[in-house]
Amino acid sequence: MRVVIAEDLALLRDGLTRLLEAYGCEVVAAVEDAVALAEALRVHEPDIAVVDVRMPPTFTDEGLRAAIAARAERPGLPVLVLSQYVEQLYARELLSSGDGAVGYLLKDRVADVATFVDAVRTVAAGGTVLDPEVVSALIARAPDDGPVSRLTPREREVLGLMAEGRSNAAIAAALFVTEKAISKHTSNIFMKLDLDPDDDSSNRRVMAVIAYLQA
């Protein structure tokens, strides 16, 4: 897996590089600002970009903007965004294209090496991964109308875990139920969110997460 890293803090940039290389990834570029990120993405065409939201010169959302621009130029480019704080707008903007292959994690999550590496692999493979704190924030602000309101509490719970990038097997383990039960819940979720039954399952999972974000 070929990775481009964009992080302005040298210590964290070096740490991410060493961590990913230890797990078999090839870090083809590790840059410190959005301009260098855009160039690295064009030159190296990586399998995934791991990007800090806030980068020089203003330290607001330069990394996010560069990632969105790169995905506009190369639709479906896998991007995993790292942020210090929960910002629901960032996740919404990344997912707005409907292409999937995006992730949004708090930087604290990098300390959980297994979770972080799994998130990188999931996003690189076309999946969607949202930090559990982002999911919790979305649940707290969900309105009483709209597609997600049709879901039962259990179905919302399943959709929340789906938004974290978990497979049906992992969701079943987390909820102490069978994988068959989770498959039934996911089918109900797709139906209630009016997702095309003929669409492939991975794309429907992405669209379900988008519906969740737009609730």
Side-chain angles (χ1 to χ4, degrees):
M1 186 191 308
R2 302 171 72 253
V3 184
V4 165
I5 296 172
E7 166 59 56
D8 65 290
L9 295 176
L11 187 61
L12 182 53
R13 188 169 64 247
D14 184 62
L16 289 170
T17 298
R18 291 173 182 271
L19 189 159
L20 290 173
E21 288 180 341
Y23 279 80
C25 300
E26 179 188 359
V27 178
V28 295
V31 301
E32 62 181 355
D33 59 52
V35 174
L37 169 62
E39 178 66 16
L41 292 177
R42 282 192 294 269
V43 171
H44 297 288
E45 298 187 346
D47 299 311
I48 184 171
V50 178
V51 181
D52 182 13
V53 167
R54 301 183 178 189
M55 301 179 69
T58 67
F59 295 96
T60 53
D61 61 357
E62 283 88 349
L64 175 73
R65 296 299 163 200
I68 291 173
R71 281 173 62 86
E73 186 175 315
R74 180 183 157 191
L77 169 68
V79 173
L80 175 59
V81 166
L82 302 178
S83 178
Q84 195 70 41
Y85 309 102
V86 174
E87 292 285 355
Q88 298 169 30
L89 180 61
Y90 294 161
R92 288 171 184 266
E93 292 200 39
L94 278 171
L95 280 168
S96 62
S97 69
D99 293 322
V102 296
Y104 179 104
L105 291 180
L106 295 183
K107 285 188 175 180
D108 289 348
R109 211 65 60 190
V110 177
D112 184 343
V113 173
T115 297
F116 173 67
V117 173
D118 186 58
V120 171
R121 289 173 175 161
T122 297
V123 173
T128 301
V129 177
L130 296 179
D131 193 279
E133 289 194 29
V134 176
V135 174
S136 296
L138 291 167
I139 291 174
R141 63 167 292 281
D144 294 330
D145 54 0
V148 177
S149 66
R150 305 171 193 164
L151 305 182
T152 66
R154 175 60 95 180
E155 288 165 353
R156 284 191 179 215
E157 194 172 12
V158 170
L159 182 52
L161 293 171
M162 191 187 300
E164 292 178 20
R166 302 198 196 191
S167 65
N168 281 3
I171 295 173
L175 298 181
F176 302 102
V177 297
T178 64
E179 193 171 345
K180 183 177 180 181
I182 297 302
S183 294
K184 183 177 180 181
H185 285 310
T186 55
S187 294
N188 288 339
I189 289 168
F190 296 151
M191 179 183 67
K192 291 181 180 181
L193 296 182
D194 300 322
L195 298 177
D196 186 355
D198 294 325
D199 203 351
D200 68 271
S201 180
S202 61
N203 189 58
R204 280 190 294 169
R205 291 175 83 90
V206 171
M207 297 308 295
V209 171
I210 292 172
Y212 192 52
L213 281 167
Q214 294 175 338

